[in-house]
Amino acid sequence: MIPRRYRVTLCMLKTTIALLLCSLTTAPSLAQSVLPRAEEPFAGKIGLTYKDSQAVKPKLKIPATYGLENPPNILIILIDDCGFGQMGTFGGGIPTPALDRVANNGLKYTRFHTTALCSPTRAALLTGRNHHSVGSGVIGEAGTGFPGYSGVIPPSAATFAEIIREYGYMNAWFGKNHNVPDWETSLVGPFDRWADGLGFDYFYGFVGGDTDQFHPALVENKKRLEPPQTNEDGSPYHFTTDIADHAIRMMRASKAVAPQRPFCVYFATGATHAPHQVPAEWIEKFKGKFDSGWDAYRQQTFLRQKEMGIIPKNAKLTERPDSLPSWDSLPQKERDVYARMMEVFAAFTAHTDHEAGRLLDTLEEMGELDNTVVLYMAGDNGSSAEGGLNGLLNEMTFFNAIPETLESKIAAIDTLGSNKHYNHFPAAWAHAMDTPFQWTKQIASHFGGTRNGLAISWPNGIKARGEVRDQFHHVIDIAPTLLDILGVEAPAQFNGIAQKPIEGVSMTYTFDDADADDRRTTQYFEMLGNQGIYHDGWMASAIRGVPWDSESPPIDLLNMPWELYNVEEDFSQANNLAKENPQKVDEMVKLFFAEAAKYNVLPLDGRKTDRLNVENRPSLTAGRDSFTYPNLLRLPEGAAPDLKHRNHTITAKVILPEVGGEGMLVTQGGRFAGFGLYVRDGKLVYDYNLVGVEQYTIASEERLPSGEVTLKAVYKTDEDKPFAGANVTLFADDKKIGEGRVEKSIPNRVTLDETFDVGFDTGTPVADGYDMPFKFTGKLNAVTIDLP
């Protein structure tokens, strides 16, 4: 129930909305077009034959056809999980010359904001609407059945890419696409919410929250691929280099084939999201540079930010939370591991910026840099504290609430950043990356979760060079800015569907006027129950729980302890004025709930792991108790049967050759979590990988017979409950040939990027001892999975 003091505000809001809706029925729409355009009548002449007729050729779909003269190319570079104090351009300790280059060729924005989480920010970026307004109040994998949290961008919110494509742009998306509903990511789609459905003619990257940088779950358009062994230059494969190679090739080919068409390239790296994986030679460049620790890093970054004019001279460095340890309090062995984790992260950041720089080099070589709008967003949220207090060798342990030992991290210190680990640094490093602010990713109530560096350059359209802009803006302002640059208005109707109003404001007014008054005067923030509201220089903030915990204790989301900051005078939210000004707090909280009602934020929900339950969302497998899959099939987890802590039987009818028959029958996941049923050395083997912490291997006691044989693994859980153990029994033609225990099971999520594979294994192996892709060398027609 909403507190009594907020009910009046909500009633007034509903009345206002009703009046506005009534007025829309008589007032003319501000949008100037319906897209796609109606078919034009034939303007030629039709006689009895072609000799007495006059043809009219169809028009090219290029900007000139629609009255746009010399429109710019667009390059959007979006870095994942990047803090305000991470990049050297904004005072951080990691050199980022490509971001420097964009900023020096244009503008740096120091009060630009995101949503505090990845796919919500990306939905807001693409649509120009608040994340809850477009069903993306949280990542899709945690979506619930409410309008603001469906995980589905509605057709009433066409993306800027869809709009500019109708004006002749060629749009290409490289890297991360975390805006496809989890249940629609399989080979059967539907595909209307994949990249093409969101306005992009070409896609090359991965679909999901993150991916292994050495073994990514690659997708080209709608087809899943296995990555090559090397990059185009012959160096060992890395995902960021690969997408840069593809983006460069696409930009060159686009102008070679159709110079009349500008391109829009959306370059959304998987970096610097976990796993922190990067070529070893980049790691060595940072050896020893972070031995002084996270507290020293914050102090050094804070001083640089003042010297560079990134933050005001009167700004204060916020305190480290008591729940994060001081660097000096740690034993030397821990410091050694955590310093190495930061070296890997710095290398990951620098390598990513280097690859972004290759795109800028290409634009310059093509002669297109001056007429390209480059937006370099240093983060879709603050730096991630999901590595917990001690950092991680495997990010999947965090999502499944399974602890890792310090000893395992110490043993892995020399291989951190390699393909052996899905590693993540400690939360205190994430906090340092967000200098000078409080908190990190997930915490939408504070700028550590939402304030990100932004640089924009467009030499043909922005006169300023290397200047700072401090107007308050939000990621929803990017789409209207791009449309404003082109002189294009958002349509009232798109694909026959009435459109929601654009909720962002154009930032073009700031391009040539450093002192222009802010045009964004109000902005709500909410993520995972963390609540914030900005209005006319004031910020009210209410934190729901710390981001490094998989779950937080219950709390009354309607009666949170609110903080208050005058952010016109207090840049970093260092001085809480709530006790001195309770009336202002009350005013701001009422405004938050008014905005929450307006933009589909309600109902508030502060749960984390409970929301990951697949039963909260549509499912292709719901209601089914038997699944038969053909050989050589790949399915993402969202489209595969959920076998976690459930009784199930896996059956494979095969023909085994007399000699050498082996290979994978079925597997899900890989090196960092999952299971596999396979034939090796003449025996049937069931392997269960508990997020890299434990490995349970059950093998048949005797060799398998050749010829036709039915192989079976029966998994009987101790109870249908997270973490439950299980007995696994192996059969050949109904004869028991092996049995063993899985002492503990994966509770929440098997994998973030790998697939459910039949007849082979893609990505990474679920166990050591076989070579990928471990294709089954006998005959396998299908695998059946039965649930009681």
Side-chain angles (χ1 to χ4, degrees):
M1 178 177 291
I2 296 175
R4 183 184 303 275
R5 62 183 184 274
Y6 304 142
R7 292 179 197 164
V8 174
T9 300
L10 290 177
C11 290
M12 292 174 63
L13 175 70
K14 290 176 181 177
T15 303
T16 302
I17 292 174
L19 291 172
L20 285 171
L21 290 174
C22 290
S23 68
L24 288 175
T25 61
T26 55
S29 171
L30 294 177
Q32 298 300 303
S33 61
V34 172
L35 294 175
R37 298 168 185 81
E39 181 182 352
E40 293 184 1
F42 180 63
K45 174 186 174 184
I46 297 178
L48 294 177
T49 71
Y50 74 92
K51 292 182 178 180
D52 60 350
S53 302
Q54 182 179 355
V56 176
K57 291 186 291 185
K59 296 176 182 179
L60 287 172
K61 194 170 184 179
I62 58 176
T65 300
Y66 310 112
L68 301 184
E69 296 184 7
N70 196 30
N73 305 303
I74 298 168
L75 171 61
I76 300 174
I77 299 168
L78 176 58
I79 309 300
D80 205 346
D81 282 6
C82 179
F84 186 83
Q86 178 173 327
M87 312 292 247
T89 311
F90 287 86
I94 306 170
T96 47
L99 181 54
D100 289 346
R101 185 174 173 186
V102 177
N104 293 336
N105 209 26
L107 302 169
K108 277 188 285 198
Y109 287 81
T110 59
R111 294 209 301 162
F112 177 79
H113 302 83
T114 54
T115 69
L117 209 60
C118 46
S119 57
T121 288
R122 293 156 195 269
L125 167 70
L126 291 169
T127 65
R129 284 95 169 174
N130 284 295
H131 53 306
H132 294 88
S133 290
V134 291
S136 302
V138 71
I139 57 171
E141 294 89 341
T144 54
F146 297 101
Y149 304 92
S150 65
V152 177
I153 297 176
S156 58
T159 70
F160 78 84
E162 290 181 273
I163 296 169
I164 67 175
R165 183 160 65 178
E166 294 301 318
Y167 286 87
Y169 270 76
M170 193 292 295
N171 302 329
W173 183 343
F174 302 91
K176 175 174 174 173
N177 179 357
H178 200 188
N179 294 108
V180 181
D182 201 27
W183 60 93
E184 294 184 356
T185 57
S186 77
L187 75 168
V188 298
F191 298 105
D192 54 325
R193 286 187 277 262
W194 285 50
D196 178 63
L198 296 177
F200 292 86
D201 305 292
Y202 179 79
F203 174 77
Y204 183 85
F206 68 95
V207 176
D210 65 25
T211 198
D212 188 309
Q213 298 290 313
F214 296 113
H215 306 284
L218 276 180
V219 174
E220 184 173 33
N221 295 320
K222 302 176 183 70
K223 183 179 180 181
R224 292 190 177 273
L225 307 172
E226 278 292 273
Q229 294 295 311
T230 64
N231 302 310
E232 288 189 359
D233 64 0
S235 60
Y237 181 86
H238 191 277
F239 177 70
T240 312
T241 304
D242 186 23
I243 60 172
D245 288 341
H246 277 75
I248 288 168
R249 195 183 322 132
M250 179 61 74
M251 290 191 299
R252 291 189 183 279
S254 175
K255 287 300 180 182
V257 174
Q260 312 96 319
R261 295 186 71 190
F263 55 72
C264 172
V265 168
Y266 178 26
F267 187 74
T269 66
T272 54
H273 194 295
H276 302 163
Q277 298 170 317
V278 65
E281 61 270 21
W282 282 84
I283 300 174
E284 292 311 304
K285 295 179 181 182
F286 292 92
K287 189 173 180 62
K289 293 189 180 297
F290 303 100
D291 289 351
S292 57
W294 44 65
D295 295 317
Y297 181 97
R298 293 190 80 226
Q299 291 287 346
Q300 293 159 7
T301 297
F302 181 67
L303 293 175
R304 278 192 302 268
Q305 289 172 331
K306 284 194 174 184
E307 292 169 1
M308 295 171 64
I310 301 297
I311 65 177
K313 294 295 184 184
N314 67 346
K316 295 180 181 179
L317 180 62
T318 57
E319 295 182 3
R320 173 176 31 80
D322 292 339
S323 49
L324 293 178
S326 70
W327 184 260
D328 291 341
S329 70
L330 300 172
Q332 188 59 48
K333 285 185 177 180
E334 288 190 47
R335 287 192 237 176
D336 291 343
V337 172
Y338 302 156
R340 185 61 170 176
M341 287 179 167
M342 182 58 207
E343 291 168 12
V344 171
F345 183 76
F348 198 27
T349 303
H351 176 261
T352 303
D353 181 76
H354 169 77
E355 297 299 339
R358 291 177 57 216
L359 273 63
L360 302 177
D361 292 341
T362 300
L363 288 172
E364 189 165 38
E365 292 164 8
M366 293 169 60
E368 296 287 341
L369 186 60
D370 285 354
N371 199 34
T372 298
V373 177
V374 179
L375 295 99
Y376 193 140
M377 284 180 57
D380 54 354
N381 42 246
S383 188
S384 170
E386 291 157 357
L389 295 179
N390 306 116
L392 299 170
L393 294 181
N394 180 2
E395 187 191 23
M396 293 308 300
T397 60
F398 172 83
F399 291 110
N400 288 292
I402 295 175
E404 296 177 353
T405 65
L406 175 62
E407 289 71 26
S408 65
K409 299 182 180 87
I410 293 172
I413 192 168
D414 292 330
T415 53
L416 288 170
S418 73
N419 64 358
K420 295 181 181 295
H421 309 293
Y422 220 80
N423 48 284
H424 198 312
F425 63 6
W429 275 125
H431 180 242
M433 294 305 102
D434 293 320
T435 302
F437 304 115
Q438 302 183 58
W439 302 112
T440 63
K441 175 185 176 181
Q442 296 186 17
I443 308 302
S445 53
H446 291 74
F447 293 152
T450 63
R451 185 163 291 181
N452 290 94
L454 169 69
I456 302 179
S457 70
W458 177 30
N460 281 4
I462 298 175
K463 298 175 184 176
R465 296 291 181 271
E467 295 183 11
V468 172
R469 295 292 184 267
D470 63 1
Q471 287 85 359
F472 192 100
H473 277 287
H474 189 268
V475 65
I476 60 174
D477 301 330
I478 295 295
T481 299
L482 294 174
L483 297 181
D484 194 20
I485 286 171
L486 304 186
V488 169
E489 293 195 27
Q493 186 181 99
F494 194 89
N495 280 337
I497 297 173
Q499 294 293 289
K500 295 184 176 186
I502 293 284
E503 292 162 4
V505 299
S506 172
M507 299 165 63
T508 57
Y509 74 97
T510 69
F511 286 177
D512 295 318
D513 188 354
D515 299 320
D517 292 338
D518 291 6
R519 294 188 183 178
R520 170 155 300 290
T521 57
T522 304
Q523 179 61 47
Y524 84 88
F525 298 87
E526 192 281 335
M527 188 61 63
L528 299 169
N530 298 291
Q531 304 161 38
I533 183 75
Y534 169 83
H535 181 67
D536 285 344
W538 289 88
M539 182 79 184
S541 306
I543 183 170
R544 185 260 178 275
V546 298
W548 42 86
D549 286 346
S550 298
E551 194 58 86
S552 300
I555 191 173
D556 183 356
L557 296 176
L558 302 181
N559 289 286
M560 305 255 286
W562 283 81
E563 302 164 13
L564 181 69
Y565 302 94
N566 181 350
V567 293
E568 285 297 310
E569 300 175 1
D570 178 13
F571 181 88
S572 60
Q573 291 181 291
N575 185 21
N576 181 7
L577 302 175
K579 290 183 179 178
E580 293 93 313
N581 203 339
Q583 184 176 350
K584 187 67 177 179
V585 172
D586 191 58
E587 172 191 324
M588 295 289 283
V589 173
K590 288 177 180 176
L591 179 59
F592 170 80
F593 276 98
E595 295 291 287
K598 180 178 180 182
Y599 293 117
N600 285 345
V601 181
L602 303 178
L604 295 173
D605 191 344
R607 298 171 298 161
K608 289 185 180 180
T609 54
D610 284 354
R611 291 165 81 173
L612 295 173
N613 189 332
V614 295
E615 295 179 2
N616 293 329
R617 293 168 292 284
S619 171
L620 295 174
T621 64
R624 299 169 61 187
D625 56 16
S626 185
F627 308 83
T628 298
Y629 294 118
N631 194 20
L632 302 181
L633 176 77
R634 296 181 68 185
L635 288 176
E637 185 169 353
D642 181 15
L643 305 180
K644 295 187 295 293
H645 49 83
R646 297 182 67 182
N647 291 333
H648 60 272
T649 299
I650 304 171
T651 304
K653 293 184 178 182
V654 303
I655 299 177
L656 286 169
E658 290 188 9
V659 179
E662 67 172 9
M664 186 62 66
L665 300 173
V666 63
T667 182
Q668 184 177 38
R671 178 176 287 135
F672 306 108
F675 75 89
L677 180 66
Y678 55 89
V679 177
R680 187 178 69 186
D681 298 331
K683 295 185 177 184
L684 183 63
V685 182
Y686 179 90
D687 249 307
Y688 193 96
N689 180 345
L690 182 69
V691 295
V693 173
E694 296 287 348
Q695 189 89 21
Y696 306 108
T697 302
I698 299 129
S700 60
E701 298 169 358
E702 55 190 66
R703 294 181 64 84
L704 298 172
S706 60
E708 292 187 15
V709 59
T710 299
L711 303 176
K712 188 181 296 184
V714 178
Y715 184 104
K716 188 173 182 180
T717 185
D718 297 342
E719 53 184 331
D720 186 3
K721 184 178 180 181
F723 304 109
N727 292 313
V728 178
T729 309
L730 305 180
F731 295 88
D733 289 333
D734 293 326
K735 176 186 175 183
K736 186 169 80 170
I737 57 174
E739 62 183 335
R741 284 283 295 170
V742 170
E743 294 296 345
K744 190 175 183 179
S745 65
I746 298 165
N748 297 325
R749 186 88 184 181
V750 176
T751 177
L752 295 175
D753 65 332
E754 296 209 36
T755 47
F756 176 98
D757 302 333
V758 177
F760 67 143
D761 191 2
T762 63
T764 60
V766 75
D768 294 332
Y770 63 84
D771 297 325
M772 305 291 285
F774 204 35
K775 186 176 178 180
F776 184 63
T777 56
K779 184 176 181 181
L780 172 67
N781 288 326
V783 167
T784 297
I785 296 177
D786 292 304
L787 305 175

